[in-house]
Amino acid sequence: MAEDNKLARLGEADFMRLLLQHENALRAFARSLLPDWNAVDDVFQDASVIMWKKFDQLDTGDGFLPWGKVIVRFHCYRYHEQKKKSGAVFSNELIAILAGEAENLEDAEYSQRHTALASCLEGLRETDRELVLAPYLGHGRIKELAEAANTSANSLYKKIGRLRDRLRQCITSKMVSPLSS
């Protein structure tokens, strides 16, 4: 009877709402533990399936984010264990330290950082925005842009570094004084 009551409180729609509400925070948490966004996609997909299967463990939606982070962290550990065979990866100790740091960031802070990043990206010229996003849009994108601009990929990476510094400063200023945006 208690089990039926629990399921009546949290159903499929609740799971989808909570997953979508916390997806950015869970992905950001996974990214703090994984080498790239492709790995995040793989881990998040696997973790989402497990969250769905074990969703009946939650009595209310209030604990969804910490509960989801535990599942994501476990899948990040699994990812690194599988990759150890093919080369250098983070040690379990480093992953635990990174996970602890990332868990301390509240969901609201992830949302605030995401909003600040979007605002700061909008403040860049279109060509700079395209350049700073290029490493995330696929392998070889920097090389294509370098060839189109008749410059070296190395010089573009240096420019990306400077643009990232600008974005970091912009985000920091918006996080300190969010009303000034």
Side-chain angles (χ1 to χ4, degrees), residues 27-41:
R27 284 180 174 278
F29 176 69
R31 182 61 179 100
S32 71
L33 304 174
L34 296 169
D36 58 49
W37 286 107
N38 290 328
V40 170
D41 289 341

Side-chain angles (χ1 to χ4, degrees), residues 19-116:
L19 183 65
L20 292 173
Q21 177 184 347
H22 297 293
E23 180 177 2
N24 288 340
L26 290 169
R27 284 180 174 278
F29 176 69
R31 182 61 179 100
S32 71
L33 304 174
L34 296 169
D36 58 49
W37 286 107
N38 290 328
V40 170
D41 289 341
D42 293 343
V43 164
F44 188 75
Q45 182 177 355
D46 292 341
S48 296
V49 170
I50 297 303
M51 284 184 245
W52 169 247
K53 288 179 180 177
K54 295 186 176 198
F55 187 59
D56 64 342
Q57 293 178 350
L58 290 178
D59 291 327
T60 68
D62 294 340
F64 186 87
L65 183 60
W67 173 78
K69 283 182 177 181
V70 169
I71 294 170
V72 168
R73 180 195 295 197
F74 172 77
H75 281 276
C76 290
Y77 282 135
R78 276 191 39 203
Y79 172 87
H80 285 290
E81 287 298 320
Q82 291 169 351
K83 295 297 179 183
K84 275 185 181 176
K85 297 172 188 153
S86 64
V89 294
F90 297 153
S91 69
N92 287 343
E93 293 79 18
L94 179 58
I95 295 169
I97 291 168
L98 293 172
E101 293 285 328
E103 282 178 354
N104 290 331
L105 294 177
E106 295 293 323
D107 191 26
E109 186 175 348
Y110 282 117
S111 179
Q112 187 180 12
R113 284 185 185 277
H114 186 267
T115 301

